[in-house]
Amino acid sequence: MTRKKIYILRHAKSSWENPTLPDHDRPLNQRGIRTAPIIAKYMRSHQYFPALILCSTALRTRMTWELVRDVLEKPAPPNSEEATQENNNLVEKGKEKKKAKGKKEKVKKEKVQEKEKEKEEQEVQDPTAETDREMLVEYKRELYEASAEDILQVVQNVPEEIKSILIIGHNPGLELFLAMMVRNGEQARMHRASLGFPTASLAVLSVGDENEEIPWKNVQKTSAYLHDFEVPKELATL
């Protein structure tokens, strides 16, 4: 049974250049514009594709999502390393089916198998196979300056047909929400997350288990497993 996924992304670095701007209307600065695509490339390379994006209405979070979306939705060049990574799972699944049949097989059977093989190869070689999907977006005012409890309430109101969400918001709410939700996880990731939640950082949680899928409305504190936590400045290779 598939566990529900919660991706948590803090907005990229914002600008304080114009002191007259309301906080809600502050844009990203140049550093933020550079780093948002870096974390987006990390998401893409790990096939972190949320079905629903829940984004604060603040300008800096909306700009962050636009930069992330551009990377997630961009088709990978054929034969590129990125395309290979994105289709690795499909390749593994298709290996057995793609093996050549013996020469003694009947001609009719060979033709049928050849057609099936061509279809599978087309699916495996399609670099947009994991990214050509609709990602729904909802801009929520309640995520601006939200507390950890406010964020949990937003999660509990997610429609049940949605299996993965990306929350784009602000500190201290996101950091407190992460600490409130995590029961256990990958030790190295938990240690890194305990050091703080820098701008444009990403946390990946799951709720539920292999035997029972938890409805969103029943998601509670200390019910999540931390799979991943990544900071853009530590992704120099991307």
Side-chain angles (χ1 to χ4, degrees):
M1 187 171 291
T2 303
R3 298 173 179 175
K4 289 184 170 69
K5 285 287 184 68
I6 303 175
Y7 303 98
I8 307 171
L9 178 64
R10 187 181 173 192
H11 66 80
K13 195 73 174 178
S14 59
S15 174
W16 293 88
E17 184 176 350
N18 187 346
T20 65
L21 279 178
D23 180 76
H24 187 271
D25 298 333
R26 289 191 296 107
L28 298 183
N29 62 16
Q30 288 303 309
R31 175 183 166 189
I33 292 171
R34 289 194 306 270
T35 56
I38 294 175
I39 200 66
K41 289 178 182 177
Y42 181 81
M43 292 176 66
R44 184 185 176 109
S45 69
H46 286 69
Q47 298 189 32
Y48 293 157
F49 296 105
L52 174 64
I53 290 80
L54 302 170
C55 183
S56 161
T57 54
L59 179 57
R60 56 191 180 275
T61 49
R62 289 186 284 119
M63 289 180 68
T64 299
W65 164 238
E66 289 169 2
L67 292 166
V68 169
R69 179 195 60 199
D70 288 347
V71 173
L72 295 184
E73 294 183 348
K74 182 180 179 181
N79 304 320
S80 68
E81 181 179 352
E82 181 181 354
T84 301
Q85 291 176 336
E86 289 176 2
N87 290 285
N88 183 59
N89 290 340
L90 290 174
V91 171
E92 291 300 321
K93 290 178 182 179
K95 279 183 178 179
E96 291 301 320
K97 294 181 180 179
K98 290 169 60 181
K99 288 182 177 179
K101 301 298 181 180
K103 294 181 180 180
K104 294 182 179 180
E105 291 180 336
K106 294 180 179 180
V107 174
K108 183 178 180 179
K109 188 176 181 180
E110 288 179 344
K111 289 182 179 180
V112 172
Q113 291 170 337
E114 185 63 29
K115 289 181 180 179
E116 292 178 350
K117 179 180 177 182
E118 290 176 358
K119 182 178 179 181
E120 290 166 0
E121 288 178 344
Q122 184 177 12
E123 291 175 352
V124 170
Q125 292 171 1
D126 179 7
T128 65
E130 289 296 325
T131 58
D132 186 16
R133 64 182 69 189
E134 182 180 5
M135 291 184 287
L136 304 176
V137 184
E138 293 183 8
Y139 296 99
K140 292 187 170 291
R141 178 77 186 195
E142 55 264 43
L143 287 176
Y144 175 65
E145 297 184 336
S147 66
E149 288 75 13
D150 293 333
I151 298 170
L152 177 57
Q153 187 172 11
V154 170
V155 170
Q156 291 171 336
N157 287 324
V158 171
E160 197 53 39
E161 63 269 19
I162 299 296
K163 303 305 178 184
S164 61
I165 60 174
L166 168 63
I167 302 169
I168 307 178
H170 313 261
N171 257 6
L174 289 185
E175 186 172 340
L176 294 173
F177 175 72
L178 180 63
M180 180 180 77
M181 293 301 298
V182 172
R183 180 181 70 252
N184 53 31
E186 300 295 328
Q187 291 301 312
R189 302 303 188 183
M190 291 182 69
H191 173 71
R192 182 61 189 85
S194 70
L195 302 179
F197 207 134
T199 53
S201 294
L202 175 75
V204 181
L205 311 179
S206 68
V207 292
D209 56 44
E210 297 178 355
N211 300 318
E212 182 180 5
E213 182 176 341
I214 298 177
W216 288 113
K217 65 180 180 180
N218 292 342
V219 173
Q220 300 295 332
K221 301 176 182 178
T222 66
S223 64
Y225 185 94
L226 179 66
H227 294 272
D228 201 355
F229 188 88
E230 199 56 74
V231 179
K233 70 177 182 180
E234 298 171 2
L235 297 173
T237 57
L238 290 181

